[in-house]
């Protein structure tokens, strides 16, 4: 409680200055915090602790406070906590330096390294942050492969982020063509915002009539800094240094349908500057819509957008459709109106499953591409879909048109705004954000790109036919099939991976967990992959090592411990097939559901230890079988609650040992002699059995790693089965098959029935000593 109060007090002190107001706008401060989460060593993306913050519009500055606290008091050494920050989508990280799948594009975000011994904290400040969702990911260094048993104390670190923002509530709006007078003073920049409409091709912001209010100041040199846009770890605002009384910033392809931030700062200390500012936006790129009319209904759109139709069937249907590809090709050959510069193809948006979306052109899979004007398709991507992978596949359709070797179709996939002029030399980039350029031609008719964790925005795909010469000859329109979709993982993680859905509160995202030594974002990095021989060897070791229970079963049956033998048989069977199903790679065989096999394996293992120790106690059969049944029920319940908990194993073992020791002490006191009395029993059976059990438990808890798991766990099977052979007590004297004997009378003191003479089946309650057999 004291630590939390001090941390909150420190955070308030760090953000107390944000309560002030600038001369022209009013600011308010907001504070948000996330609960502390336990960090894990990085093995795959599921070990990352992901937090999401929301930064509202008109935020002037954002300040994060990252705190890491050690959970235990014993010394764990110094560990470095890595913190990743990204705007618009979770950060794509690669701490292990693994190879990404083919055609997968990603950009590393901002990373912070925080050394931690007991408690550490750091801050991260960002001026004019981009509005929307920000994602914070934290993890410990790479996993060393050691398997830690749940329940043992270990080095634990807890990560907690907090965010403080300073938000303007009355930011002036810069209207297009309207002159606005503003003042920029020391540490008080002028903050404005302007709206960029859809289909804007260019935007200019100009500063003029700059003057200083200070006496003796040079009015011809205002030294202002003009910034357009917001800041993020991968994007910076456009900055123009104004050295005279006027300057301007021009943006080509500005972001569409959004508010743009404008900040003007003074470069000179102790000097207030007054200036006029004006904006001008050119909306000269209104699209020409292709193929969508007012009377189209959703059933027609769904019919045309089905992926089940083949390309040839799609072409044949388009030939008979008056709005088909043939008429669209003719329409593309006609000149556009002066106000139109792109052909816009409407796209149908479909939610297929969780983190699974599909975008389909309304008029079928084929999209006409001209050499005169670009073709444009828009793909809205909401925040709930950013936890998957955005896939783009372009296929050149040369069925009806022959494309020359010198011609190609270039495409640009960009967020927030499209690139309206495409050629082979121009980069795929808008005014504020970068894009991803691809191309198809006769030699490469298909291309694919994948974007893991795409940003939440409207994505624009621009396509245009380009030729080496100015004239493309007879081929001026070609057909391209763009397939855009969102999937949970890259190619479903392949053969050696499993795509898992993860959750951070209400936010869902997906990642691949790899096996058989594979690694990487799509489990395609085979630098440390296990060979087929090693996979088969591991499977054989873990399964065939369970055959070591056969001697224990035989010994138990020969000594008439039928119940114990059935438990050992159950354990051997399910442990064998559980490990056969649990193997990575191709050497796998599952006879039933994996979860069922795992549950039965864990249950049988603990029950085997439970019945063995109770059998060693040599208590009366009535009590023994009662404890057998009661213990099995309690163990089954605990396994359902927490299957891998350490106390699910230690609890039954300690209870059984307590019963055994109590019974032995009782007999020793009653007979005034150590029990068991035979030193041979101790030296030849009990001590070797106890050593086997102790070595096996130590291997199971302390020595197992990802690399040696096949050997150490197989040895654990052998040691546990061997200790059962040593520890099982000898058969009781005067006991025959199934524990029944003749010649003993069985009387109930409370029974009203008279004693029956003759042969009766009686149970021997005589206490027998351990003897060497």
């Amino acid at each position: 409680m004291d630590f939390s109060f001090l941390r909150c007090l420190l955070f308030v002190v760090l953000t107390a200055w944000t309560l002030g107001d600038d001369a022209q706008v009013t600011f308010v401060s907001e504070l948000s915090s996330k609960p502390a989460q336990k960090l894990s060593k990085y093995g795959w993306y599921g070990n990352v602790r992901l937090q999401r913050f929301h930064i509202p519009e008109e935020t002037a500055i954002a300040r994060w406070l990252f705190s890491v606290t050690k959970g235990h008091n014993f010394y764990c050494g110094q560990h470095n906590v890595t913190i990743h920050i990204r705007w618009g989508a979770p950060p794509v990280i690669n701490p292990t330096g693994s190879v990404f799948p083919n055609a997968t594009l990603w950009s590393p975000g901002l990373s912070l390294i925080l050394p931690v011994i007991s408690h550490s904290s750091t801050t991260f400040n960002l001026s004019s942050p981009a509005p929307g969702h920000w994602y914070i990911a934290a993890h410990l260094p790479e996993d060393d492969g050691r398997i830690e048993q749940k329940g043992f104390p270990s080095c634990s670190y807890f990560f907690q982020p907090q965010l403080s923002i300073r938000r303007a509530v009355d930011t002036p709006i810069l209207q297009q063509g309207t002159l606005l007078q503003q003042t920029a003073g020391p540490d008080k920049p002028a903050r404005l915002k302007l709206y960029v409409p859809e289909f804007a091709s260019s935007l200019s912001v100009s500063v003029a009539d700059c003057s200083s209010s200070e006496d003796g100041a040079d009015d011809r040199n205002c030294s202002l800094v003009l910034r357009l846009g917001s800041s993020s770890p991968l994007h910076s605002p456009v900055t123009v240094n104004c050295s005279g009384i006027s300057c301007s910033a021009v943006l080509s392809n500005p972001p569409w349908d959004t508010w743009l931030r404008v900040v003007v700062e003074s470069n000179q200390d102790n000097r207030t500057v007054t200036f006029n500012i004006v904006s001008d936006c050119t909306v000269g790129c209104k699209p020409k819509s292709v193929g969508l009319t007012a009377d189209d209904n959703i059933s027609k759109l769904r019919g045309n957008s089905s992926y089940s139709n083949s390309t040839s069937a799609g072409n044949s249907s388009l030939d008979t459709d008056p709005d088909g590809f043939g008429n669209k090709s003719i329409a593309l050959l006609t000149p556009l109106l002066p106000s139109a510069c792109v052909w816009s193809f409407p796209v149908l948006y479909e939610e297929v499953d969780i983190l699974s979306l599909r975008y389909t052109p309304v008029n079928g899979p084929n999209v006409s591409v001209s050499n005169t004007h670009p073709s444009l398709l828009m793909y809205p991507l909401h925040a709930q879909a950013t936890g998957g992978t955005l896939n783009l596949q372009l296929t050149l359709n040369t069925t009806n048109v022959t494309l020359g070797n010198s011609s190609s179709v270039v495409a640009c996939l960009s967020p927030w705004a499209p690139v309206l002029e495409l050629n082979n030399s121009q980069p795929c980039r808008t005014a504020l954000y970068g894009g991803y350029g691809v191309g198809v031609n006769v030699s490469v008719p298909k291309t694919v790109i994948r974007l893991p964790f795409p940003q939440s925005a409207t994505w624009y795909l621009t396509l245009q036919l380009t030729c080496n010469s100015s004239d493309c000859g007879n081929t001026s329109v070609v057909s391209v099939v763009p397939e855009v979709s969102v999937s949970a993982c890259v190619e479903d993680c392949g053969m050696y991976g499993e795509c898992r859905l993860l959750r951070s509160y209400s936010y869902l995202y997906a990642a691949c967990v790899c096996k058989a030594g594979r690694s990487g974002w799509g489990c395609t990095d085979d630098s440390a992959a296990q060979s087929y021989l090693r996979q088969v060897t591991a499977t054989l070791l873990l399964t065939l090592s369970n055959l070591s229970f056969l001697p224990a079963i035989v010994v138990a049956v020969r000594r008439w411990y039928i119940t114990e033998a059935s438990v050992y048989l159950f354990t051997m069977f399910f442990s064998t097939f559980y490990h056969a199903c649990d193997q990575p790679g191709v050497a796998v065989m599952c006879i039933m559901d994996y979860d069922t096999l795992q549950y039965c394996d864990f249950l049988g293992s603990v029950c085997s230890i439970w019945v063995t120790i109770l059998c060693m106690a040599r208590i009366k059969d009535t009590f023994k079988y009662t404890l057998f049944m009661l213990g099995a029920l309690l163990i089954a319940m605990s396994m359902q609650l927490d299957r891998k908990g350490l106390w699910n194993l230690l609890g039954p073992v300690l209870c059984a040992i307590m019963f055994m020791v109590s019974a032995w002490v009782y007999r020793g006191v009653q007979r005034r002699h150590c029990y068991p009395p035979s030193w041979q029993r101790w030296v030849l059976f009990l001590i070797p059995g106890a050593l086997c059990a102790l070595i096996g438990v130590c291997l199971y808890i302390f020595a197992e790693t990802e690399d040696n798991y096949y050997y150490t766990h197989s040895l654990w099977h052998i040691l546990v089965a061997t200790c059962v052979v040593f520890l099982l007590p000898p058969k009781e004297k005067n006991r025959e098959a199934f524990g029944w004997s003749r010649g003993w009378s069985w009387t109930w003191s409370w029974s009203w029935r008279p004693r029956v003479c003759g042969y009766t089946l009686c149970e021997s309650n005589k206490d027998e000593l351990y003897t060497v057999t």
Side-chain angles (χ1 to χ4, degrees), residues 6-56:
L6 293 176
R7 183 169 55 191
C8 293
L9 181 62
L10 172 63
F11 199 59
V12 170
V13 170
L14 290 174
T15 59
W17 62 272
T18 64
L19 297 176
D21 294 342
D22 282 357
Q24 303 172 49
V25 295
T26 304
F27 292 93
V28 295
S29 293
E30 299 177 4
L31 176 66
S32 59
S33 178
K34 300 293 182 181
Q37 290 185 323
K38 184 179 179 180
L39 295 176
S40 300
K41 293 182 179 180
Y42 184 83
W44 65 295
Y45 206 89
N47 303 127
V48 173
R49 297 297 172 259
L50 186 67
Q51 302 279 14
R52 183 171 66 165
F53 290 90
H54 179 74
I55 292 183

Side-chain angles (χ1 to χ4, degrees), residues 353-371:
D353 202 348
I354 300 176
L355 289 182
S356 181
L357 307 176
R358 184 172 58 193
Y359 301 91
T360 311
V362 168
N363 293 91
N366 294 282
V367 172
S368 302
V369 180
S370 170
N371 65 328

